[in-house]
Amino acid sequence: MSFIKEFWEFLKIRKKYWLLPIIMVLVLFGGLIILTQGSAVAPFIYTIF
């Protein structure tokens, strides 16, 4: 949890708010791949990429 707090402080201090959507999309796709690993949905997700 301290990593998230430190990253948020970095974004605020350096005014790098444009990084936030990129990080959120990467986390969303990573979570989607982890949650659907070994399921019937996996082949359809891999066709997106």
Side-chain angles (χ1 to χ4, degrees):
M1 200 64 176
S2 66
F3 173 74
I4 295 171
K5 184 178 176 185
E6 187 175 332
F7 183 68
W8 179 249
E9 292 295 323
F10 168 77
L11 291 177
K12 284 190 338 188
I13 292 170
R14 304 276 188 215
K15 308 263 191 262
K16 303 272 187 196
Y17 295 114
W18 56 271
L19 284 173
L20 196 57
I22 296 170
I23 298 298
M24 290 178 70
V25 167
L26 286 175
V27 167
L28 181 71
F29 277 139
L32 184 68
I33 289 173
I34 289 172
L35 289 176
T36 60
Q37 186 176 6
S39 72
V41 183
F44 299 110
I45 292 174
Y46 292 124
T47 59
I48 294 173
F49 301 106

